[in-house]
């Protein structure tokens, strides 16, 4: 059986016009194949018309096949864990039909060695020089070690967060008791001090809840405790609490009529808090943050708009990815874990809603999310 490099050489035309240009193109392709092999990356090609599937030796290894063994497209799909199989199939079909890029991480179990591996696949639709014949091709790499480290980290974060939550709950209860006692004693110093302590405990509690939600999101187990409540009232409460903690910005909540939604109140509150905190972190002091909500097509749409540094167009699509943070001269002194917007997106997605951002560098940002109204939410 010929190798990919030998197939390339055999297809170099000898006596046709443009031989030099074709030779150069094939040599570039040969160098590309050598680079792929050196990187220990698997490759594949799936012909759109004939459905012929051509996997590289390394790709076969990733799926537990022998290097000299035939491997069909159906055989590849069969080794993908059931949890991810339908998602991968849908992603491939979408890439082929809509001519979009395919980018996905998933777990496979080797055919012969029964070894579980995490792989990252990157691909898309490509055509020959005359655009007469399309094929779906790409690369696949083993990310098992990286994924296992990530899972261990998330498990550790979840465990520590659970351990911290219990003493923090007790601390909050004692602070509330002392605050009630101070009010009875009319001790203004103690009242002021305990109010500040309570706000800091609240901030720590929100941070821990964020880590717990991250752990749940990574395992696909975000639990929702849904109830009917007024979203405008919740936003107003968050705004008032934020004003107590932060005096550096003016926060305006444009009046809106009562809007009932059926959702997990605590988690939607975390979304609003995250958007408020982001607006404060990424905008200069003494600027205005404007919050609004309105009903559009049986959905409520919330907007948190700032007058901050804005977001470069190349960063907008990555903002809601886990651990992603915009890195530039304006953000180098701004702290964060890069999980806030990722959690917002996961929570809103679990509520059958949408989240997005409109921004221009140097001209501020407007973060939006929409949720079904109460009756529509119950139907979902």
């Amino acid at each position: 059986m010929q190798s990919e490099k030998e197939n390339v050489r055999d297809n170099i035309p000898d006596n046709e016009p443009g031989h030099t240009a074709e030779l150069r193109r094939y040599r570039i392709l040969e160098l590309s194949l050598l680079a792929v092999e050196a990187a220990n990356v698997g490759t594949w090609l799936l012909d759109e018309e004939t459905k012929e599937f051509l996997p590289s030796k390394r790709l076969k290894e990733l799926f537990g096949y022998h290097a000299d063994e035939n491997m069909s497209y159906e055989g590849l799909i069969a080794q993908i864990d059931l949890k991810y199989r339908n998602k991968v199939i849908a992603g491939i079909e979408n890439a082929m039909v809509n001519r979009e890029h395919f980018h996905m991480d998933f777990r496979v179990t080797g055919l012969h060695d029964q070894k579980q591996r995490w792989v990252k696949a990157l691909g898309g639709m490509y055509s020959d020089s005359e655009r007469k014949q399309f094929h779906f091709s790409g690369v696949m790499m083993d990310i098992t070690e990286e994924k296992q480290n990530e899972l261990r980290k998330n498990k550790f974060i979840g465990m520590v967060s659970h351990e911290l939550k219990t003493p923090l709950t007790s601390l909050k209860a004692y602070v509330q008791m002392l605050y009630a006692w101070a009010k009875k004693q009319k001790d203004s110093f103690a009242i002021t001090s305990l109010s500040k302590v309570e706000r800091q405990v609240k901030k720590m509690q929100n941070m821990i809840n964020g880590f717990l939600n991250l752990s749940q999101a990574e395992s696909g187990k975000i639990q929702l405790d849904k109830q009917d409540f007024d979203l405008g009232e919740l936003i107003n409460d968050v705004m008032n609490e934020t004003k107590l903690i932060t005096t550096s910005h003016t926060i305006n909540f444009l009046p809106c009529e009562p809007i009932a939604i059926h959702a997990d109140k605590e988690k939607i509150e975390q979304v609003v808090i995250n958007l408020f905190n982001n607006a404060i972190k990424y905008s200069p002091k003494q600027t205005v943050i404007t919050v609004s909500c309105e009903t559009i097509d049986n959905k409520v749409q919330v907007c948190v708009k700032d007058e901050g540094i804005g977001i470069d167009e190349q960063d907008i699509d990555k903002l809601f990815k886990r651990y992603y943070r915009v890195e530039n001269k304006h953000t180098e002194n701004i702290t964060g874990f890069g999980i806030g917007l990722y959690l917002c997106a996961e929570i809103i997605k679990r509520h059958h809603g949408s989240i997005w951002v409109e921004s221009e560098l140097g001209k501020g940002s407007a973060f939006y999310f929409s949720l079904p109204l109460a009756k529509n939410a119950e139907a979902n």
Side-chain angles (χ1 to χ4, degrees):
M1 184 179 290
Q2 287 184 308
S3 70
E4 290 165 279
K5 294 195 290 284
E6 289 170 338
N7 284 329
V8 168
R9 293 193 193 98
D10 288 348
N11 281 286
I12 296 176
D14 293 321
N15 301 310
E16 296 179 10
H19 167 76
T20 303
E22 285 294 306
L23 182 61
R24 186 183 300 114
R25 186 165 69 87
Y26 278 109
R27 281 177 176 167
I28 290 172
L29 178 57
E30 183 176 12
L31 288 171
S32 298
L33 288 171
L34 285 169
V36 168
E37 287 181 10
N40 205 25
V41 171
T43 61
W44 79 86
L45 187 148
L46 177 64
D47 189 281
E48 182 182 38
E49 188 175 337
T50 66
K51 302 303 179 187
E52 183 182 10
F53 182 62
L54 300 173
S56 69
K57 291 180 180 179
R58 176 56 180 155
L59 189 74
K60 292 178 183 179
E61 289 174 5
L62 291 175
F63 284 76
Y65 278 74
H66 301 311
D68 57 352
E69 186 176 8
N70 287 331
M71 176 182 173
S72 65
Y73 172 69
E74 291 74 20
L76 176 142
I77 294 297
Q79 300 315 124
I80 299 173
D81 286 10
L82 281 173
K83 182 179 178 180
Y84 305 95
R85 192 176 297 169
N86 289 336
K87 187 178 179 181
V88 172
I89 293 171
I92 293 172
E93 289 177 352
N94 177 64
M96 295 181 74
V97 172
N98 299 313
R99 303 296 191 252
E100 294 183 358
H101 290 298
F102 177 74
H103 180 193
M104 200 172 291
D105 298 352
F106 51 92
R107 192 170 59 204
V108 303
T109 301
L111 176 65
H112 298 301
D113 58 17
Q114 291 298 300
K115 184 176 179 180
Q116 288 196 330
R117 300 176 180 88
W118 280 92
V119 297
K120 179 184 290 291
L122 303 166
M125 291 297 290
Y126 303 93
S127 66
D128 59 23
S129 56
E130 297 178 356
R131 302 186 66 83
K132 290 181 178 179
Q133 189 173 3
F134 278 90
H135 61 268
F136 177 62
S137 61
V139 298
M140 197 175 293
M141 59 204 79
D142 189 337
I143 59 167
T144 305
E145 186 175 350
E146 173 190 332
K147 201 73 177 179
Q148 286 176 342
N149 287 337
E150 190 178 290
L151 293 171
R152 280 193 288 267
K153 179 175 66 177
N154 292 332
K155 186 176 181 180
F156 175 75
I157 288 172
M159 180 183 68
V160 171
S161 299
H162 274 291
E163 292 299 319
L164 286 174
K165 194 170 184 178
T166 302
L168 195 63
T169 302
S170 299
L171 178 60
K172 184 178 180 181
Y174 283 120
V175 169
Q176 289 173 340
M177 288 170 57
L178 286 170
Y179 182 78
W181 177 83
K183 285 185 73 174
K184 283 184 181 180
Q185 301 298 317
K186 297 181 180 180
D187 187 335
S188 58
F189 174 78
I191 291 171
T192 303
S193 300
L194 288 167
S195 295
K196 291 179 179 178
V197 171
E198 189 172 24
R199 288 197 291 272
Q200 295 305 314
V201 169
K202 175 81 173 176
K203 284 179 69 176
M204 194 177 294
Q205 203 166 35
N206 287 334
M207 189 185 300
I208 289 171
N209 286 337
F211 284 129
L212 284 171
N213 284 333
L214 173 66
S215 179
Q216 291 172 351
E218 291 302 300
S219 60
K221 297 177 181 177
I222 289 183
Q223 301 296 321
L224 299 181
D225 181 16
K226 291 187 175 183
Q227 58 180 295
D228 286 346
F229 63 91
D230 186 336
L231 180 59
E233 188 178 308
L234 181 145
I235 293 172
N236 194 61
D237 289 344
V238 172
M239 181 189 70
N240 290 330
E241 283 189 19
T242 305
K243 283 181 175 180
L244 288 172
I245 299 169
T246 305
T247 58
S248 58
H249 294 69
T250 300
I251 304 175
N252 290 332
F253 181 27
L254 303 181
C256 68
E257 59 186 36
I259 300 175
I261 64 171
H262 185 71
D264 187 312
K265 188 174 182 180
E266 183 180 307
K267 287 184 170 56
I268 299 302
E269 180 184 35
Q270 288 173 5
V271 171
V272 177
I273 289 170
N274 270 322
L275 295 183
F276 273 40
N277 289 342
N278 265 18
I280 291 167
K281 279 201 300 185
Y282 293 97
S283 59
K285 293 180 179 180
Q286 311 312 318
T287 55
V288 178
I289 294 166
T290 305
V291 188
S292 60
C293 61
E294 57 182 324
T295 304
I296 303 174
D297 297 331
N298 294 319
K299 292 183 178 181
V300 57
Q301 180 175 294
V302 177
C303 175
V304 180
K305 186 176 182 180
D306 63 56
E307 300 174 348
I309 59 178
I311 304 160
D312 196 306
E313 187 177 351
Q314 66 181 7
D315 292 310
I316 286 179
D317 291 339
K318 306 170 189 172
L319 277 183
F320 298 101
K321 292 185 177 180
R322 181 189 54 214
Y323 302 129
Y324 184 78
R325 297 189 72 237
V326 175
E327 300 289 347
N328 57 44
K329 63 180 182 180
H330 302 294
T331 63
E332 56 188 11
N333 295 319
I334 299 174
T335 59
F337 298 101
I339 63 171
L341 291 176
Y342 166 73
L343 285 174
C344 288
E346 288 296 312
I347 290 169
I348 295 299
K349 185 169 69 174
R350 286 297 307 273
H351 283 85
H352 307 286
S354 304
I355 187 167
W356 69 98
V357 60
E358 295 175 1
S359 184
E360 188 176 342
L361 199 60
K363 295 187 178 180
S365 304
F367 282 85
Y368 296 85
F369 70 85
S370 67
L371 293 167
L373 296 175
K375 290 182 180 179
N376 298 294
E378 288 173 2
N380 287 323

